[in-house]
Amino acid sequence: MSAIDEIKTVGYTVVENALTSDVCDMYVKKLEETFEKCSKHYIKSVNQEHKLNTYLDDKLIYNVHNKDPEFLNLTNIKEVLEVVRPVLSEGSYCDTYPIHLRQITARSPLPGRGHQQLHNDSYFPASTYTLTAIAVVALEDMTIANGTTRLIPGSHRFTGYPENGKKYDEEIQLPLKKGSVLMYDASVWHGGCQNNTQDSRWSILLTYTRWFVKQAFDFYENTPLDIYEAATEEQRELLGFSSVPPKDEFTRISARTSSPIKPRGDYSLPLH
């Protein structure tokens, strides 16, 4: 069964050796340095539920693309796009509609942390076609000991949501070798497992959606000009620069453009 068919039938697939060990090590080093620089500037959550600024559960880096040009290459990993593109274009006119990234995040659960409630990241259960697909790129081995992704096969066809706090007999854990990628329909009931070691467990979480689905962050506004200039045409497309809404009807009326729109270039990371 092909990777595309696996996502359609059981909701997930695994592709091995998408990144080399050396490339993974390079990214882990950059992520540790990036977290050290960025975390002190994170916005303070009003109700503390998100915990981005408390560092109690995870090392988290959102908008990885705008931190270093090297991270742009994570947006268009060939082995990932060969699967998510056809899955997310299926059902569109002639199966040709483009896709974009909704979010690109790096995560490393802290020791003793990382357990997540099973959840659905598509915000819509049991759609006829996949609306959102997630790729988990393992930059370090993800094991039973340091925590893996767990999920319920076939749950992307369930019409409801998982019960809070319940452990289901159908749950499976999916260890990943460094450099491998787990891809799944975001409607699959899934969650992270606890890191029971003292080691890091860095992964990149790429959320791909159909082009008309709202992105989690405004990449057009938060991409520095030097990052945009370093991006390839494909990377610019994936970051949504060809689906920036028009300002008004005097500008244009199409929600998409034939080529990416260059950002104003007045954004810089608030790290000073």
Side-chain angles (χ1 to χ4, degrees):
M1 186 184 298
S2 72
I4 294 171
D5 288 336
E6 285 182 335
I7 288 187
K8 291 179 182 179
T9 55
V10 296
Y12 72 94
T13 191
V14 174
V15 174
E16 297 183 343
N17 303 315
L19 299 180
T20 67
S21 179
D22 288 345
V23 167
C24 289
D25 291 343
M26 177 270 290
Y27 281 129
V28 168
K29 182 174 185 294
K30 282 184 176 292
L31 289 172
E32 290 286 1
E33 294 169 349
T34 300
F35 181 79
E36 181 66 25
K37 287 190 294 186
C38 292
S39 59
K40 63 176 79 69
H41 299 280
Y42 285 160
I43 189 167
K44 195 176 185 67
S45 301
V46 175
N47 58 12
Q48 296 299 310
E49 288 181 359
H50 188 53
K51 301 186 176 69
L52 183 60
N53 67 311
T54 62
Y55 327 130
L56 294 178
D57 289 334
D58 310 276
K59 289 183 177 181
L60 275 171
I61 304 170
Y62 286 96
N63 295 307
V64 172
H65 73 285
N66 69 15
K67 307 301 188 292
D68 188 301
E70 286 282 1
F71 291 134
L72 288 169
N73 292 326
L74 291 166
T75 66
N76 62 332
I77 298 171
K78 176 176 176 288
E79 292 82 355
V80 173
L81 292 182
E82 287 177 343
V83 176
V84 299
R85 266 207 174 107
V87 166
L88 290 173
S89 65
E90 183 184 19
S92 66
Y93 181 70
C94 295
D95 292 345
T96 57
Y97 278 15
I99 66 172
H100 66 196
L101 268 168
R102 183 175 186 274
Q103 186 162 276
I104 174 171
T105 305
R107 177 175 182 254
S108 178
L110 296 174
R113 303 287 183 167
H115 177 81
Q116 294 178 328
Q117 160 73 35
L118 286 179
H119 58 281
N120 169 338
D121 275 329
S122 75
Y123 303 102
F124 195 83
S127 174
T128 302
Y129 298 108
T130 301
L131 297 176
T132 305
I134 295 175
V136 180
V137 184
L139 299 179
E140 300 178 287
D141 287 344
M142 297 176 68
T143 67
I144 300 298
N146 71 12
T148 66
T149 299
R150 73 189 194 284
L151 55 78
I152 297 181
S155 53
H156 60 312
R157 300 302 181 206
F158 293 176
T159 56
Y161 296 91
E163 184 178 331
N164 287 343
K166 181 174 180 178
K167 178 171 173 40
Y168 292 84
D169 293 338
E170 301 90 343
E171 289 180 25
I172 62 171
Q173 293 190 43
L174 296 168
L176 289 178
K177 286 290 188 183
K178 177 180 176 180
S180 298
V181 184
L182 164 66
M183 288 171 275
Y184 53 90
D185 184 315
S187 289
V188 163
W189 293 7
H190 67 280
C193 292
Q194 183 168 301
N195 181 0
N196 292 315
T197 73
Q198 296 299 307
D199 302 323
S200 62
R201 194 196 79 199
W202 279 107
S203 63
I204 295 292
L205 308 175
L206 298 155
T207 303
Y208 293 92
T209 63
R210 295 174 184 250
W211 73 269
F212 51 82
V213 176
K214 183 174 73 172
Q215 293 172 294
F217 292 92
D218 191 339
F219 294 162
Y220 179 71
E221 291 287 345
N222 76 19
T223 301
L225 197 54
D226 63 324
I227 297 291
Y228 177 85
E229 297 290 359
T232 66
E233 195 81 354
E234 180 179 54
Q235 291 163 352
R236 293 171 184 173
E237 289 271 352
L238 289 169
L239 288 169
F241 290 107
S242 294
S243 54
V244 179
K247 179 180 179 179
D248 53 35
E249 78 279 20
F250 304 107
T251 306
R252 58 183 158 88
I253 58 172
S254 172
R256 285 190 52 77
T257 53
S258 58
S259 59
I261 298 177
K262 186 176 182 178
R264 289 190 301 270
D266 57 357
Y267 177 82
S268 60
L269 293 169
L271 303 183
H272 305 294

